[in-house]
Amino acid sequence: MASHIVGYPRMGPKRELKFALESFWDGKSSAEDLEKVAADLRASIWKQMSEAGIKYIPSNTFSYYDQVLDTTAMLGAVPDRYSWTGGEIGHSTYFSIARGNATVPAMEMTKWFDTNYHFIVPELSPATKFSYASHKAVSEYKEAKALGVDTVPVLVGPVSYLLLSKAAKGVEKSFSLLSLLDSILPIYKEVVTELKAAGASWIQFDEPTLVKDLAAHELAAFSSAYAALESALSGLNVLIETYFADVPAESYKTLTSLSGVTAYGFDLVRGTKTLELIKSAGIPSGKYLFAGVVDGRNIWADDLAASLSTLQSLEAVVGKDKLVVSTSCSLMHTAVDLVNETKLDSEIKSWLAFAAQKVVEVNALGKALAGLKDEAYFAANAAAQASRRSSPRVNNEEVQKAAAALKGSDHRRATPVSARLDAQQKKLNLPILPTTTIGSFPQTMDLRRVRREYKAKKISEEEYVSAIKEEISKVVKIQEELDIDVLVHGEPERNDMVEYFGEQLSGFAFTANGWVQSYGSRCVKPPIIYGDVSRPNPMTVFWSKMAQDMTPRPMKGMLTGPVTILNWSFVRNDQPRFETCYQIALAIKKEVEDLEAGGIQVIQIDEAALREGLPLRKSEHAFYLDWAVHSFRITNCGVQDTTQIHTHMCYSNFNDIIHSIINMDADVITIENSRSDEKLLSVFREGVTYGAGIGPGVYDIHSPRIPSTEEIADRVNKMLAVLDTNILWVNPDCGLKTRKYTEVKPALTNMVAAAKLIRTQLAAVL
């Protein structure tokens, strides 16, 4: 029985690619050095899968930034502002698109479906000129073949590419992105022709937009695209891969009717309804079913007995020789290798499987279907499953009762937001257009060393506290010198906004090397929520009070919200996600109340990932938004009217959930805006009334580019055209931890100058 992996993590078990990219960006290493690290990682990945017995091994899933940007490069779809003159796209153009440069901003970045991975959004227009400008897919296939590994080249499908794109600025609203289909298909044909000539026998097109709610004309585009590609694809086996959700019935019908397609890949972990659809509607005769039964988005060991049962039921539908065992999606959304976790609790470790272990699980299931079941391996897996179900570490009756008691109340603050803002202003006495930042300040090498040495017990707690206090003092002084109105302590004690809280909450476990790529070189190490969640002790009060004592200006207490902690963790799969979220909300509520009691007047509860968790199907939106927004309100429902509650959101499309954002009932929301071409402001132009404080980001912190005072002032003036002066805040898009002080100081200087300039202009008018 054959086996298949949709995709694999790129960063390497020790984040080798991250460090190679950052060294290259800093000018400390050459392009050749970067390419050597990348080639070694690719070779290791292909070898690992080959030795594990995987038949269908992917290539062209390795990327220096993301697979959509790679496709933009392949198609030569480079906006004019990057001054690309044609030919093969090199590192300079590629990374300028992704990160911006000294003179040109980066393209928009947004979340990849409902994951914490990001992609660079293509900007297209009727004038976009396409050309075959990156031969990466073919060169990587040849590279693997030279190593003795025959791979399945993976391309982002042409229709999904267009549906994930956006119209360039200034393009008529009537413009349809799908109208460009005939313009990009010739390049896809060139790529396919070269792959065939290189010896490829299979090709995988990722068309994940098929799981979304698509209109009839969008579904028709899939039929048109693959009919047009059919002659070029002749002689190749063609797999169309979907993931992250159920495929709707109409989309399933379209998919299984596509011309020239040999195989269909489905996520059967998050797509349980698709499983029933396969059984009821069937698969066209002679076609392959790539059954994604091993979860590519979580770290729990597969229940092999349950997956084997599912696969056996599918054999009756497609036949033994046409069934391929697969992962539910790319394994890039999980950690790399459990072998590297030498300090993880042994019982919890027995419940887990990272990417390397999932490859083994896929192959074991394939062998079991072929009658070569490894009884010892299956028995060990069954024992681990039973251990997890019965472990007393998982369940806490007191926590479960407290969460159950939440039913029956909406946990909304009693006083309307307008009255609360008045009470807060009397206490805080802020100017119009108050300035602030989102929370974190640059994480220097020295700061990282201090945290690392403290964790390794190389320095004492007293030395650690002294070093962090010194860093907080530096950050406070910088903000006071810049004349920022509401300060932050810079979060020097935190490596990660979720990991920091998870380390202090019960029910969480942590890895040493469980890194997952978020975008570019940015990696996160998600906590593992294995049991019921509670807060044994205060988590941030000590540092927040210390920082507030250093300044007469308001100091924000900085917390991560329950929905973001949930969505940025590997979450237990033995109870509904909303139950876990309510438990986290109760833990954060205790922290909020302790901060208030400690004299903190402004408390920010970040919900950066609330939009990210929105289900891909509209029919599921209302239920998710109800419990997600409710969870946020639980955290702060008990504070006084004079305590100002902030929240922050970033790098998603918020326009379609603006009413739920209003329903969160925060006093102030800071929200990403600048990198997405101020798309957020359109909802206010279209008549949405927002009465709470709001700070749409005035500059993009994911680019090293420093915006001018005039540029920021222009952005603020655009905001004032649709928002009242007395509710508008001025702030960056997101936290500053990934930037350098040489970038942060001038950018914030210009931001404050812009706010003061407009205050002066407004005062002159009055």
Side-chain angles (χ1 to χ4, degrees):
M1 185 64 62
S3 51
H4 166 250
I5 304 297
V6 176
Y8 201 81
R10 307 156 179 161
M11 283 290 124
K14 302 274 180 74
R15 294 180 292 163
E16 292 88 341
L17 183 60
K18 167 190 171 66
F19 299 121
L21 281 167
E22 291 173 355
S23 177
F24 174 70
W25 293 336
D26 289 342
K28 296 176 181 176
S29 61
S30 66
E32 290 75 19
D33 295 329
L34 174 61
E35 287 160 8
K36 172 69 166 57
V37 171
D40 288 347
L41 284 170
R42 287 193 295 267
S44 173
I45 291 166
W46 291 326
K47 180 182 178 184
Q48 177 189 350
M49 284 192 262
S50 179
E51 290 179 349
I54 301 299
K55 180 176 180 180
Y56 300 111
I57 297 171
S59 61
N60 198 40
T61 58
F62 193 92
S63 177
Y64 285 137
Y65 221 85
D66 74 75
Q67 67 271 31
V68 179
L69 178 55
D70 290 350
T71 309
T72 294
M74 181 184 86
L75 297 170
V78 181
D80 291 342
R81 66 179 179 272
Y82 296 104
S83 303
W84 176 63
T85 56
E88 191 82 0
I89 287 178
H91 292 316
S92 176
T93 300
Y94 182 91
F95 289 125
S96 290
I97 292 171
R99 307 177 71 240
N101 57 43
T103 58
V104 184
M107 282 166 55
E108 180 183 350
M109 181 171 71
T110 196
K111 296 290 176 74
W112 177 244
F113 293 80
D114 58 348
T115 74
N116 187 30
Y117 181 65
H118 300 68
F119 71 98
I120 302 299
V121 182
E123 296 175 15
L124 306 177
S125 77
T128 301
K129 294 180 176 64
F130 298 98
S131 63
Y132 188 9
S134 171
H135 293 67
K136 175 178 174 293
V138 178
S139 63
E140 283 192 19
Y141 174 78
K142 290 179 177 178
E143 183 183 325
K145 194 171 184 182
L147 295 170
V149 182
D150 189 26
T151 60
V152 179
V154 179
L155 301 175
V156 174
V159 183
S160 287
Y161 176 78
L162 293 176
L163 292 177
L164 292 167
S165 301
K166 72 172 186 178
K169 214 169 184 177
V171 171
E172 293 289 333
K173 283 189 176 182
S174 60
F175 169 63
S176 168
L177 290 160
L178 290 174
S179 67
L180 298 174
L181 191 57
D182 289 342
S183 300
I184 67 172
L185 288 177
I187 298 165
Y188 274 89
K189 289 177 183 177
E190 284 188 72
V191 177
V192 167
T193 300
E194 287 192 8
L195 286 169
K196 282 166 64 174
S201 57
W202 278 83
I203 188 168
Q204 175 179 318
F205 290 100
D206 281 5
E207 294 281 14
T209 55
L210 278 164
V211 305
K212 302 186 85 173
D213 297 305
L214 299 178
H217 75 280
E218 292 169 325
L219 289 174
F222 286 93
S223 300
S224 299
Y226 287 92
L229 289 172
E230 186 174 11
S231 60
L233 292 169
S234 177
L236 277 174
N237 290 295
V238 179
L239 165 64
I240 306 294
E241 186 65 54
T242 68
Y243 34 78
F244 299 150
D246 285 301
V247 175
E250 281 303 308
S251 299
Y252 184 86
K253 184 178 177 182
T254 298
L255 172 58
T256 53
S257 303
L258 293 179
S259 304
V261 173
T262 315
Y264 318 104
F266 298 106
D267 181 340
L268 300 182
V269 176
R270 292 184 172 231
T272 52
K273 293 177 184 174
T274 301
L275 178 62
E276 297 310 312
L277 195 56
I278 294 168
K279 291 177 180 177
S280 61
I283 293 284
S285 178
K287 305 294 185 180
Y288 288 83
L289 170 61
F290 281 57
V293 293
V294 173
D295 192 350
R297 285 185 60 172
N298 217 328
I299 42 65
W300 303 109
D302 189 66
D303 185 339
L304 294 177
S307 291
L308 184 59
S309 176
T310 297
L311 291 164
Q312 287 168 338
S313 71
L314 290 170
E315 279 187 324
V317 179
V318 295
K320 189 181 283 284
D321 62 329
K322 299 296 182 184
L323 182 62
V324 178
V325 183
S326 185
T327 53
S328 65
C329 62
S330 172
L331 295 176
M332 65 177 289
H333 304 290
T334 190
V336 179
D337 196 341
L338 197 56
V339 168
N340 297 318
E341 301 304 325
T342 55
K343 296 180 181 178
L344 191 60
D345 177 278
S346 59
E347 182 183 30
I348 293 173
K349 189 174 180 179
S350 73
W351 303 341
L352 308 179
F354 290 180
Q357 288 69 47
K358 289 177 185 291
V359 169
V360 175
E361 288 178 337
V362 167
N363 193 54
L365 286 165
K367 285 184 173 180
L369 273 177
L372 300 171
K373 184 177 180 183
D374 185 335
E375 296 291 351
Y377 183 72
F378 271 71
N381 175 266
Q385 298 291 326
S387 161
R388 185 176 166 215
R389 283 191 295 269
S390 62
S391 175
R393 306 169 70 173
V394 172
N395 300 307
N396 182 321
E397 189 176 344
E398 184 180 341
V399 171
Q400 292 172 0
K401 282 182 179 177
L406 293 170
K407 294 172 184 174
S409 170
D410 66 1
H411 296 90
R412 193 180 294 276
R413 292 168 78 180
T415 308
V417 67
S418 57
R420 299 198 310 261
L421 289 173
D422 287 344
Q424 292 155 15
Q425 178 59 15
K426 286 174 185 172
K427 194 166 186 178
L428 297 172
N429 193 29
L430 298 172
I432 61 169
L433 306 181
T435 54
T436 190
T437 65
I438 305 306
S440 60
F441 262 62
Q443 299 265 313
T444 64
M445 293 298 290
D446 284 344
L447 186 54
R448 294 179 191 277
R449 176 185 53 77
V450 166
R451 287 200 305 262
R452 194 166 54 245
E453 289 181 352
Y454 179 58
K455 278 199 167 185
K457 298 190 169 142
K458 291 182 179 177
I459 60 174
S460 68
E461 182 173 357
E462 184 179 352
E463 290 172 309
Y464 172 71
V465 169
S466 175
I468 297 299
K469 183 177 181 179
E470 184 179 339
E471 182 70 18
I472 291 172
S473 178
K474 179 180 84 172
V475 169
V476 169
K477 185 177 180 183
I478 288 170
Q479 292 172 93
E480 288 181 328
E481 289 172 350
L482 291 169
D483 204 18
I484 290 173
D485 299 304
V486 176
L487 310 191
V488 297
H489 76 290
E491 304 176 8
E493 79 283 14
R494 308 176 195 182
N495 178 59
D496 177 87
M497 63 186 286
V498 173
E499 181 181 4
Y500 176 81
F501 290 97
E503 284 178 335
Q504 300 180 79
L505 294 169
S506 65
F508 281 73
F510 291 86
T511 63
N513 293 291
W515 298 99
V516 178
Q517 185 183 20
S518 179
Y519 62 86
S521 68
R522 169 80 171 136
C523 297
V524 294
K525 196 166 54 169
I528 298 166
I529 305 177
Y530 67 84
D532 291 330
V533 178
S534 63
R535 187 203 72 149
N537 299 295
M539 301 179 285
T540 65
V541 178
F542 175 77
W543 301 115
S544 293
K545 287 177 68 176
M546 175 190 288
Q548 184 63 82
D549 288 344
M550 295 176 181
T551 179
R553 301 189 184 209
M555 174 64 62
K556 285 197 277 192
M558 299 300 305
L559 305 175
T560 302
V563 184
T564 296
I565 290 177
L566 183 88
N567 285 335
W568 286 356
S569 298
F570 291 125
V571 183
R572 58 189 293 190
N573 57 2
D574 60 342
Q575 70 177 16
R577 289 172 69 87
F578 69 85
E579 290 186 12
T580 303
C581 198
Y582 284 155
Q583 293 177 1
I584 302 169
L586 286 172
I588 299 299
K589 181 176 185 288
K590 289 182 179 179
E591 187 72 12
V592 168
E593 291 167 356
D594 281 351
L595 282 168
E596 183 183 54
I600 304 301
Q601 302 174 59
V602 181
I603 302 171
Q604 181 169 308
I605 308 166
D606 285 347
E607 284 295 14
L610 188 141
R611 173 59 176 80
E612 172 188 311
L614 190 70
L616 301 177
R617 305 289 295 284
K618 289 177 183 175
S619 61
E620 299 169 13
H621 286 189
F623 178 69
Y624 167 78
L625 289 169
D626 180 66
W627 64 254
V629 169
H630 187 190
S631 295
F632 176 82
R633 289 203 305 263
I634 288 167
T635 65
N636 61 87
C637 62
V639 300
Q640 300 174 30
D641 290 350
T642 51
T643 297
Q644 190 167 84
I645 299 296
H646 289 223
T647 191
H648 170 67
M649 295 182 174
C650 57
Y651 299 101
S652 287
N653 180 9
F654 300 105
N655 295 26
D656 55 349
I657 64 162
I658 190 66
H659 294 289
S660 293
I661 292 173
I662 294 170
N663 200 29
M664 291 169 73
D665 199 29
D667 297 311
V668 178
I669 179 171
T670 52
I671 195 163
E672 181 271 325
N673 170 69
S674 64
R675 186 156 181 172
S676 56
D677 290 332
E678 298 157 350
K679 186 164 48 181
L680 172 71
L681 299 185
S682 66
V683 300
F684 303 113
R685 294 189 191 103
E686 291 161 9
V688 171
T689 301
Y690 194 81
I694 184 167
V698 296
Y699 78 91
D700 174 27
I701 63 86
H702 288 299
S703 170
R705 182 174 169 272
I706 298 165
S708 66
T709 298
E710 294 72 23
E711 180 183 332
I712 295 173
D714 180 60
R715 279 214 163 98
V716 175
N717 279 318
K718 287 179 181 176
M719 296 170 192
L720 287 171
V722 293
L723 293 165
D724 290 341
T725 307
N726 62 345
I727 67 169
L728 187 63
W729 286 63
V730 178
N731 47 262
D733 263 351
C734 204
L736 304 170
K737 69 185 296 181
T738 61
R739 301 268 54 90
K740 299 171 184 172
Y741 274 106
T742 52
E743 299 158 350
V744 165
K745 287 182 180 179
L748 290 180
T749 297
N750 294 346
M751 184 188 83
V752 173
K756 289 182 175 180
L757 174 66
I758 295 175
R759 286 174 196 160
T760 302
Q761 292 170 349
L762 290 171
V765 172
L766 296 173

